[in-house]
Amino acid sequence: MKKLSLLFTILFIFWGSISSFGQDTIKQLTIRINALLPSSNFGNDDIEDWIFDGGGGATAGFGAGLQYLIPLENPSFGVFLSGDLFINNTKNKIKEDWEDIFASKQNVKYPKYINIPILAGFNYNYKKENSSIGFFGNTGLGFNYLKITNFSTSSDGDGLEFEFDKSIKFAYEISGGAVFNDKVKLALSFINLGNHDIDGTETDKYANGNKEKYDISREYDPSNLDISGFKISIGLILH
């Protein structure tokens, strides 16, 4: 909670000090839909690496977001504050490999990855006079909130459930794209959502009603999960 408060404070101070330069300019709000294509470890679908050894096994994810842009005195430059939501499921290959390893019939609930990055940064845009198409680039820094939903499996009255802790880490994004008729934005970004500790609680459940709980970090000594990928977004500009 202290880390979250500190990060909010840093972003608030940055935004307040910078946005004052653009008080007399036209602000721009963009509503967008997103796709997140996992790269590197986040998309790793090797069952031996999954979750506890640095592999995410994540599918392409989808979500939505907002960006608030304030131009500076030079209209080619601006500052922005953005927030996004991404939800990535577990890949089918992971599910198939899990079922192959455990031949018995199981009821399995696979985890989802929920990421909520909040970023602030700088914008540059370029547009020729009388042209209907403009181009832009963004660089943003901030933090990402990660929640991995519960993973559970059961068979013949016995089962186990992993409940993962929330995590907040620094994040950054580099993006570029085009603006059409000052209304529609199309962007491609590389976004790094942080290197997250994997921890939480494992609960073993038995047919006789007994339960045993274990700390994930002590039982499995998990590797960190690096979450990054390529974001494709299309947005509608509201002036």
Side-chain angles (χ1 to χ4, degrees):
M1 195 66 186
K2 290 182 179 180
K3 184 184 294 185
L4 178 60
S5 299
L6 175 61
L7 290 169
F8 266 121
T9 301
I10 293 172
L11 285 179
F12 180 79
I13 292 173
F14 167 82
W15 184 251
S17 60
I18 296 296
S19 62
S20 61
F21 291 103
Q23 288 180 352
D24 298 326
T25 60
I26 298 175
K27 281 68 171 179
Q28 184 185 99
L29 176 67
T30 301
I31 301 174
R32 60 196 180 198
I33 56 174
N34 304 316
L36 178 62
L37 309 179
S39 63
S40 186
N41 294 331
F42 189 35
N44 180 357
D45 57 9
D46 187 335
I47 190 68
E48 294 185 0
D49 297 333
W50 185 44
I51 296 186
F52 298 125
D53 287 306
T59 65
F62 298 93
L66 296 169
Q67 184 192 69
Y68 187 64
L69 174 65
I70 298 179
L72 299 178
E73 292 182 4
N74 183 335
S76 293
F77 295 91
V79 293
F80 71 87
L81 181 68
S82 68
D84 289 286
L85 166 71
F86 305 102
I87 300 176
N88 297 73
N89 290 308
T90 299
K91 285 184 177 179
N92 285 334
K93 184 178 182 299
I94 292 289
K95 298 177 182 179
E96 292 166 359
D97 290 346
W98 180 271
E99 292 166 4
D100 288 343
I101 292 171
F102 297 93
S104 61
K105 185 68 174 177
Q106 291 190 332
N107 297 313
V108 184
K109 183 178 179 181
Y110 293 94
K112 293 180 174 65
Y113 299 91
I114 301 172
N115 288 281
I116 304 176
I118 305 295
L119 305 176
F122 295 95
N123 164 270
Y124 173 79
N125 67 84
Y126 171 79
K127 181 182 177 183
K128 288 185 177 180
E129 189 175 355
N130 299 322
S131 174
S132 62
I133 302 177
F135 301 93
F136 69 89
N138 291 330
T139 300
L141 298 172
F143 64 91
N144 177 57
Y145 166 93
L146 167 67
K147 172 59 181 176
I148 304 175
T149 63
N150 292 5
F151 169 49
S152 62
T153 178
S154 62
S155 177
D156 299 325
D158 295 330
L160 59 84
E161 181 175 29
F162 294 96
E163 183 177 354
F164 299 98
D165 291 345
K166 304 173 184 68
S167 177
I168 297 174
K169 296 292 182 181
F170 285 101
Y172 67 87
E173 179 179 12
I174 301 171
S175 66
V179 180
F180 302 91
N181 297 315
D182 294 322
K183 279 294 183 184
V184 178
K185 269 187 178 181
L186 182 63
L188 174 65
S189 312
F190 174 77
I191 186 166
N192 186 298
L193 298 175
N195 190 261
H196 295 265
D197 303 319
I198 301 299
D199 203 355
T201 304
E202 174 191 349
T203 303
D204 293 351
K205 304 175 182 180
Y206 302 100
N208 61 10
N210 291 337
K211 295 181 181 180
E212 295 180 352
K213 292 190 175 185
Y214 306 93
D215 188 89
I216 288 175
S217 61
R218 293 181 180 178
E219 284 293 306
Y220 298 94
D221 190 24
S223 301
N224 285 10
L225 176 60
D226 184 59
I227 298 181
S228 61
F230 293 93
K231 183 181 83 173
I232 301 171
S233 65
I234 182 168
L236 179 64
I237 299 172
L238 306 175
H239 290 286

